[in-house]
Amino acid sequence: MARRETVPTIKDVARIAGVSVGTVSRYLNGGHARSQNAERIDAAVSALGYRPNVLGRYLVTGSPRTVGVLVPRAANVFAATILSGLQLAFEEAGYAVVVIDFQASPELLRKRIWGQLLSGRVDGLVVLTSELARDEYAFLADVDIPLVVIDNPLDAPGVDSVVVDNRSASRRLVGAMLDAGHERAGLVGMRSNTHVARERRLGWEDAYRERGLAVPESLALEAEATKDAGSAMASRLVSRGSVTTIFAANYYLALGSLCTLARLGLRVGVDIGFATFDDYGFGDVFVPALSTVRQPSAEIARTAADLLVRRIKGTDDRPSQVSLVQAEVRVTDSVRGGLWDEAHLLWAAWNKPQAV
C-alpha cells in the first residue's frame, strides 16, 4: 500500500524554523517577528509548501462567506473608487468584504495574505497591484485560494486579472494633442517598473510613431506618482521651453503639474496644452475642461467580483483569464493650448458675452 503524503502543518513550519508555533502564528497573521525568525519562517513555509486549510476551517467554524480585498493605499483615489464598487458587487453576491491596506509594501502584502489564509477568514482574494513591480507580486501565483488581481496582470494558473487598456487610451489622448498641431508633447510619467506605467509610456510613444514622427525621449520624464514629483517634472519641461503641451500619466502627477502651471501663470488650454490619465471629477473645473482618460471603475470592480465569485463556487474551470477593459477618452480644447494666436482666438470666442 502506497504511503499517503502528509500535509505540512503550522507545527512543521515551527519545527523547521526553530521557533514556537505562537511565533509562526503571530508572524503569518501580520504580527512582528525578529528579522532572523521572520527569514526562517519564510524559508520554512517555502520549503514545506505550507498552505493553511481554509476550507477545513470554514467547515468547522461555519463562518460566513468572506472575501479579502487588499489595496496598496486605502487613501489612493483609484483604490477608493474600486473598493466602493467591489463592496457593492460582493454584497449583492452574498459575501462580506475584509479590506486590508498593505501600504504598497510587498513584504507587508505577503504577511497580510498569509495572515488571512492562516486565520481562515476568507474564501477568496482581490489584490490591487497598481504600485507593485512584477517580481514583487509574483508570489501570488503560489497562493492556493481563488484570486483576482487588478491593474497589473499575472500570468499564472488559477489567477484571474482585470486590466485597463492603458496603452490604447494613452495613445489616443496623446494623438489628439499631436493632431491638434503640437510637435512637442511632453510626458509627466510614473516610474516604468510597473505594468501600468510602462503601458502608458508606450501609448505616448505609439502616438508619435503612428504619425511617422520620431519619439522625443528627452520629453519623457518619470518619477514616483506623487503631487510633488508631478510639479517638479512639469517645471523642468516648461522652464527649458521644450514642450508646448503636457500629458500627465496619473491623477497625482496631474495635480502637481497643474499647480506648477498655475504658479507660472500659464493658462491650461490657452498658453499650454494639457491632458491627463484619470479624471475624478476635477476636469470640468477648468475652462476649457480638461482632456482626460476616465477609468471604468464600476466595470473593473464588477468584472473582478464576478470572476472571483465564479472561482469560489467552482463554476469557472478555465486555467486563468485576463479581462481587458476599455477606458473612456475625452478630448476637449485643452489639447489646443499653446498653439499661438489660434488658441487665444479660441479663448476669446469661448468667453465672448452671449446675447440674451
Side-chain angles (χ1 to χ4, degrees):
M1 181 176 178
R3 181 183 177 184
R4 188 176 67 177
E5 184 178 353
T6 59
V7 177
T9 67
I10 191 172
K11 292 182 179 179
D12 296 323
V13 174
R15 176 175 52 80
I16 296 297
V19 298
S20 69
V21 171
T23 297
V24 175
S25 179
R26 283 193 300 274
Y27 174 70
L28 294 182
N29 274 294
H32 174 73
R34 295 178 181 175
S35 59
Q36 186 177 26
N37 287 344
E39 291 175 2
R40 289 176 177 175
I41 294 170
D42 286 336
V45 166
S46 178
L48 291 169
Y50 172 69
R51 300 288 183 273
N53 186 353
V54 177
L55 178 58
R57 289 179 181 271
Y58 174 77
L59 293 174
V60 171
T61 64
S63 58
R65 295 182 299 176
T66 304
V67 296
V69 178
L70 294 102
V71 297
R73 302 180 201 276
N76 179 279
V77 179
F78 174 72
T81 58
I82 297 297
L83 179 57
S84 176
L86 286 172
Q87 287 181 311
L88 179 60
F90 281 123
E91 286 173 4
E92 290 177 352
Y95 289 81
V97 176
V98 176
V99 181
I100 305 135
D101 187 334
F102 61 90
Q103 302 170 33
S105 164
E107 294 78 18
L108 193 54
L109 172 62
R110 186 186 294 269
K111 289 179 67 175
R112 293 288 192 250
I113 286 180
W114 279 111
Q116 291 300 308
L117 294 180
L118 184 66
S119 65
R121 293 178 64 191
V122 296
D123 302 289
L125 295 170
V126 177
V127 184
L128 275 67
T129 56
S130 315
E131 301 183 39
L132 300 178
R134 174 65 173 78
D135 60 344
E136 293 176 328
Y137 64 91
F139 76 91
L140 294 174
D142 298 324
V143 175
D144 190 19
I145 190 173
L147 174 68
V148 174
V149 296
I150 293 177
D151 242 10
N152 293 328
L154 180 59
D155 183 15
V159 179
D160 295 315
S161 308
V162 182
V163 184
V164 172
D165 192 348
N166 292 278
R167 184 169 183 171
S168 174
S170 299
R171 172 181 56 79
R172 290 160 59 194
L173 194 52
V174 176
M177 291 176 156
L178 300 178
D179 291 341
H182 291 284
E183 297 178 353
R184 302 188 305 280
L187 171 69
V188 173
M190 302 172 283
R191 294 196 189 282
S192 293
N193 62 335
T194 69
H195 172 82
V196 170
R198 287 192 299 272
E199 289 294 290
R200 293 180 190 178
R201 165 72 181 258
L202 288 172
W204 175 80
E205 295 177 0
D206 289 344
Y208 278 94
R209 294 194 179 99
E210 202 171 56
R211 289 155 181 79
L213 302 173
V215 177
E217 299 290 349
S218 63
L219 302 187
L221 303 182
E222 297 179 354
E224 296 299 321
T226 66
K227 183 178 175 181
D228 287 345
S231 178
M233 288 187 284
S235 180
R236 284 176 57 192
L237 288 173
V238 173
S239 63
R240 64 193 190 195
S242 56
V243 299
T244 57
T245 188
I246 288 174
F247 171 55
N250 93 332
Y251 172 76
Y252 295 100
L253 296 177
L255 291 182
S257 298
L258 291 168
C259 284
T260 283
L261 298 180
R263 177 173 53 80
L264 296 175
L266 296 174
R267 295 166 295 176
V268 170
V270 181
D271 305 310
I272 189 168
F274 191 84
T276 175
F277 207 110
D278 291 334
D279 176 11
Y280 297 110
F282 73 97
D284 58 358
V285 171
F286 294 82
V287 178
L290 297 184
S291 299
T292 61
V293 172
R294 176 167 292 183
Q295 299 204 60
S297 300
E299 182 182 355
I300 295 169
R302 177 68 61 180
T303 302
D306 288 347
L307 287 170
L308 189 63
V309 169
R310 288 204 298 267
R311 290 292 185 187
I312 292 172
K313 292 182 176 180
T315 58
D316 192 340
D317 58 0
R318 289 171 293 184
S320 63
Q321 179 176 331
V322 176
S323 294
L324 188 67
V325 297
Q326 298 299 319
E328 179 184 0
V329 178
R330 295 184 174 186
V331 178
T332 71
D333 281 340
S334 76
V335 301
R336 301 182 64 85
L339 294 176
W340 307 287
D341 293 337
E342 183 180 1
H344 291 82
L345 289 173
L346 286 170
W347 175 263
W350 184 281
N351 290 275
K352 181 178 179 180
Q354 300 296 314
V356 296

